[in-house]
Amino acid sequence: MAAVSLDRARAWADAIFQANGAMPAAARATAAALVAAEADGLKGHGLSRLPTYVGMLASGKVDGKAVPVSARPRPGVIAIDAARGFAYPALDLACDALPEIARNTGIALAGIRRSNHAGALGLYVERLADRGLVALFFANTPEAIAPWGGKKAVFGTNPIAFAAPVPGRAPVVIDLALSKVARGNIVAAKQAGRPIPEGWALDRNGQPTTDSEAALAGTMVAMGDAKGTALAFMVEVLAAALVGAHLGFEAASFLNEKGEPPETGQAIIAIDPSSLGHGAFGERMATLVAAIEAQDGARLPGARRLAARQAAAEHGLEIPQALFERFGAPP
């Protein structure tokens, strides 16, 4: 491995995407998202996705020339068509538009359809929290989790993210998949040739497995068992049925270049705290955070992410040599 600065890593990934057919805006947005995830220690959504994304460009599973388009069907709603391209330009469009809408209406919704893998959702709700908003993000993904009592996958790992501003410090950010672990962790284990812990996934016969390849061919274990599958259903409604996207069992995999564009969906909700008619939100958040941090050993969600980000900013990213061998070293 070799350490590479964040700026060089972004420029390197950007150039790779453009060389493989992505328009500059799409390449830039996608490179920025992967490097930001990598810097936050979320390697399953980071540069390990480069080979898959390039394969998708080559096969047409993602349209590198797509430009997202938006409409405002209601005052508090922005409807975005990702046009079978990368999700990241559509997510940038949503995050740019939502603050002004939320300031005017109190609460705003962005629905994104005909989309693709949305990566680390926490990055986007954090951007909204940096603008003083409370934000929720729901994304549906290709089938991975069976309904409770069933054996065949219907839901994806269907991640949820949340962020809220805290006076004088970084927002609190929560980003979690509804499987016991994010599917990206299993993808990273497969690429590294490592086993996975028992309890993460089942093989195609419904048996527990520590083999990452068998896990990817089987189903994920839901976080919280029946409660996790109920939450996955809720995300499927919000991020797919509501916005007009493919359901998880209709979507082609995010993990390879085979099949048609996934056309999954995302829904982002932004809330202006001042719309509730009081000025106590900041004080209430500070009191809540203080109550948590007053306990020995307790930490806020997302604290490790901030530490990893600071380390990456100071020391750069350790990029696997295999990626350099395939795509060339950064300039």
Side-chain angles (χ1 to χ4, degrees):
M1 293 187 180
V4 176
S5 73
L6 297 182
D7 286 343
R8 287 181 65 207
R10 279 189 290 267
W12 175 66
D14 184 339
I16 291 168
F17 289 130
Q18 290 198 52
N20 285 276
M23 293 286 282
R28 184 169 55 253
T30 304
L34 296 192
V35 170
E38 189 82 17
D40 282 4
L42 306 172
K43 295 184 179 298
H45 294 310
L47 294 170
S48 66
R49 294 276 175 170
L50 267 172
T52 303
Y53 281 12
V54 167
M56 286 183 173
L57 284 168
S59 71
K61 193 171 184 177
V62 65
D63 182 355
K65 295 179 170 55
V67 177
V69 294
S70 65
R72 290 286 301 280
R74 299 289 174 86
V77 175
I78 179 170
I80 299 173
D81 181 358
R84 293 183 161 185
F86 285 116
Y88 305 108
L91 294 172
D92 286 343
L93 178 58
C95 288
D96 288 343
L98 282 169
E100 181 178 355
I101 300 172
R103 299 294 181 212
N104 291 330
T105 62
I107 183 169
L109 167 67
I112 303 172
R113 63 187 181 91
R114 295 209 301 167
S115 193
N116 206 303
H117 178 244
L121 275 57
L123 296 170
Y124 296 91
V125 290
E126 181 179 14
R127 281 168 57 177
L128 295 170
D130 282 337
R131 302 285 296 275
L133 304 172
V134 175
L136 288 153
F137 188 165
F138 308 93
N140 86 314
T141 66
E143 60 185 17
I145 296 174
W148 188 247
K151 296 181 180 179
K152 179 175 172 52
V154 171
F155 312 120
T157 55
N158 288 10
I160 297 172
F162 167 87
V166 182
R169 56 189 294 173
V172 173
V173 177
I174 298 169
D175 185 348
L176 53 88
L178 296 181
S179 52
K180 285 194 175 179
V181 297
R183 197 174 179 91
N185 291 343
I186 298 181
V187 174
K190 178 178 181 292
Q191 291 175 338
R194 299 193 309 267
I196 60 171
E198 189 167 334
W200 281 14
L202 308 175
D203 65 19
R204 65 174 67 250
N205 298 314
Q207 298 301 310
T209 183
T210 59
D211 185 299
S212 54
E213 189 165 353
L216 292 172
T219 59
M220 304 289 291
V221 175
M223 173 187 68
D225 299 324
K227 294 178 181 179
T229 58
L231 286 170
F233 177 89
M234 291 166 56
V235 174
E236 204 72 38
V237 172
L238 291 167
L242 186 65
V243 306
H246 276 172
L247 299 166
F249 62 86
E250 298 171 327
S253 175
F254 290 157
L255 304 177
N256 57 51
E257 72 282 2
K258 299 174 183 176
E260 295 295 314
E263 297 193 35
T264 49
Q266 292 96 35
I268 308 175
I269 298 170
I271 304 167
D272 179 359
S274 69
S275 65
L276 276 297
H278 63 80
F281 177 75
E283 182 275 328
R284 294 286 78 200
M285 284 297 300
T287 300
L288 175 59
V289 167
I292 294 168
E293 294 184 331
Q295 297 188 33
D296 290 339
R299 62 178 177 85
L300 289 174
R304 286 183 294 190
R305 169 187 56 86
L306 292 176
R309 183 183 298 179
Q310 181 63 34
E314 293 176 1
H315 306 296
L317 299 175
E318 296 289 335
I319 299 178
Q321 185 64 30
L323 290 178
F324 292 160
E325 291 172 0
R326 175 162 179 178
F327 297 113

